[in-house]
Amino acid sequence: MDKGIHIIDNSNPSSPKNIAFIDIPGNEDIAVKGNTLYADLYTDLVTLDITDPLHVVVKKYNEGVFPYRVYSNGFYADSTKIIVDWTKRDTTVTQDCASYGILYYTPGIALANDASQAFKSSPSPAIGQGGSMARFALVGNYLYTVGDQDLSVFNITNGNNPLFSNQMQVDWHVETIYPFKNNLFVGSNNGMFIYDINSSPSNPVKVGEFTHSRSCDPVITDDNYAYVTLHSGTTCLGYNNELDVVKLNNLTNAELVKTYNLTSPLGLSKDGNLLFICDGTDGLKIYDVSNILNLQLLKQFPGLETYDVIAWNKIALVVAKDGLYQYDYSNVNNIHLVSKLNIVN
């Protein structure tokens, strides 16, 4: 995180290989379309040709398109420098409680067995495959990104020449973005916000929202429900640790239908009736969601601190504190670990 991107050859999920590292100071998230990779370089957007992952070529920099990051206690870093690491020290700070800032990071993961598969084939508009903690989302010829307050739009009709198109304020402390069909689901500390991109992809229109008590808020969705995890912590400014199941009701009137208590949930993913939840130090949990009002825990993998998950093609890729785990769920009665890859920046 804040240092760059690992490129992993996952053609054989039982034996993934970390084949390259792209040095990008200040990087937090990525998106991949075909052989083109988009990444944040602190406040800039960098476009890379990854046709040959061992010889990546820079195609363009869009300078100053992302806001400067706000750190704890309202601290703004020197804009002439990029923070990529720091040293922890015990100290005492006196702070006026009337003002505060927030610091959080959400490292990105893009799923592809090879570069050509990174932009998953699906009904129009085509949607990129990403994790629920992502801040970048690909839909058709547009790249959508979220910052602390804003939603930004880039036209990528010419993949190597992204054009900044639009920016709008969403909410305070925006965290994640999840594309589904013709909509964007944006998670913040305060709730989930739904934007329509069907009529005008370059100008998303807010069509619905679901608010909750202040808490960190990744979100995914299907045709009928949104699944929202809330977790506590000093950066989340809340105390809830739960899964909220929200009925979309044609998007304009989302309503809570059920809450499930969890330990410290973060990223989540869904494939059919299987819901995968990264529950912090409780590891990976897999639920049967065929009955929304009575979710059944099918399997739990404790002993690892999980962050985000992508369930796709019967393999669940799990980002954990100590590396990348992959689980085969082709047989729901025998979900099992197939590999673990240690990742060190």
Side-chain angles (χ1 to χ4, degrees), residues 63-136:
E63 297 183 353
V65 293
F66 301 126
Y68 291 109
R69 295 175 194 163
V70 183
Y71 295 82
S72 59
N73 299 319
F75 169 68
Y76 283 83
D78 184 342
S79 61
T80 65
K81 299 179 176 63
I82 297 174
I83 296 176
V84 298
D85 205 354
W86 54 83
T87 300
K88 294 182 179 179
R89 295 181 180 176
D90 291 332
T91 187
T92 300
V93 176
T94 301
Q95 173 66 26
D96 180 2
C97 293
S99 62
Y100 57 84
I102 184 168
L103 165 64
Y104 54 82
Y105 293 107
T106 53
I109 178 173
L111 174 59
N113 285 334
D114 57 59
S116 65
Q117 292 181 0
F119 200 50
K120 184 181 176 183
S121 177
S122 61
S124 182
I127 296 176
Q129 185 79 4
S132 64
M133 302 294 287
R135 288 177 168 270
F136 282 26

Side-chain angles (χ1 to χ4, degrees), residues 45-227:
L45 175 70
V46 59
T47 302
L48 305 172
D49 184 339
I50 57 171
T51 302
D52 180 356
L54 300 181
H55 299 90
V56 173
V57 178
V58 176
K59 304 302 291 187
K60 184 178 181 180
Y61 290 101
N62 292 72
E63 297 183 353
V65 293
F66 301 126
Y68 291 109
R69 295 175 194 163
V70 183
Y71 295 82
S72 59
N73 299 319
F75 169 68
Y76 283 83
D78 184 342
S79 61
T80 65
K81 299 179 176 63
I82 297 174
I83 296 176
V84 298
D85 205 354
W86 54 83
T87 300
K88 294 182 179 179
R89 295 181 180 176
D90 291 332
T91 187
T92 300
V93 176
T94 301
Q95 173 66 26
D96 180 2
C97 293
S99 62
Y100 57 84
I102 184 168
L103 165 64
Y104 54 82
Y105 293 107
T106 53
I109 178 173
L111 174 59
N113 285 334
D114 57 59
S116 65
Q117 292 181 0
F119 200 50
K120 184 181 176 183
S121 177
S122 61
S124 182
I127 296 176
Q129 185 79 4
S132 64
M133 302 294 287
R135 288 177 168 270
F136 282 26
L138 285 166
V139 184
N141 289 321
Y142 288 87
L143 169 67
Y144 301 91
T145 70
V146 290
D148 183 54
Q149 302 176 32
D150 302 318
L151 169 64
S152 298
V153 184
F154 299 85
N155 187 318
I156 55 171
T157 302
N158 180 346
N160 290 329
N161 183 31
L163 301 176
F164 179 76
S165 177
N166 197 1
Q167 187 178 77
M168 60 199 66
Q169 183 166 334
V170 176
D171 189 36
W172 295 100
H173 308 317
V174 175
E175 300 174 301
T176 62
I177 183 170
Y178 184 84
F180 185 75
K181 294 188 176 179
N182 293 311
N183 300 287
L184 301 173
F185 293 77
V186 178
S188 81
N189 276 181
N190 300 315
M192 173 189 71
F193 303 90
I194 308 169
Y195 285 81
D196 171 56
I197 54 173
N198 183 43
S199 56
S200 180
S202 64
N203 186 32
V205 176
K206 182 180 173 182
V207 294
E209 67 180 72
F210 167 71
T211 58
H212 53 63
S213 58
R214 180 162 291 184
S215 188
C216 290
D217 177 12
V219 56
I220 63 170
T221 186
D222 56 28
D223 285 309
N224 300 305
Y225 297 94
Y227 303 85

Side-chain angles (χ1 to χ4, degrees), residues 3 38 290 312:
K3 296 182 180 180
Y38 306 96
S290 54
W312 180 71

